[in-house]
Amino acid sequence: MNPKFRNLYLFLGFIGLAFLAYELVDTYADINPLSILLISLPDMVFFYLAYKTYPAEDNESSRVSI
């Protein structure tokens, strides 16, 4: 995936987490699990997309030689 979108995905993920925290604090007495799920699913997708934009590690460089 294109690494130039990494910051955008991270930004959207953290904005979604902030909205999730606001939703939890605002509706503390009567939390709706469906609304929490609908907010957190796109956040997980954005964090996964940000993870996929990181470059792959080379297997040779990650090995330890004795």
Side-chain angles (χ1 to χ4, degrees):
M1 294 188 74
N2 197 342
K4 69 179 182 179
F5 293 119
R6 182 182 311 139
N7 290 335
L8 176 66
Y9 294 146
L10 287 174
F11 178 73
L12 291 173
F14 282 117
I15 291 296
L17 281 181
F19 181 65
L20 178 64
Y22 171 76
E23 183 75 21
L24 288 174
V25 169
D26 190 39
T27 62
Y28 178 71
D30 187 29
I31 296 174
N32 183 3
L34 181 62
S35 106
I36 300 304
L37 183 66
L38 289 176
I39 294 171
S40 62
L41 280 177
D43 296 340
M44 289 187 279
V45 169
F46 284 127
F47 283 123
Y48 176 74
L49 289 172
Y51 165 75
K52 292 299 282 185
T53 59
Y54 282 96
E57 288 186 14
D58 186 19
N59 288 338
E60 297 298 323
S61 66
S62 63
R63 292 183 187 170
V64 177
S65 61
I66 297 176

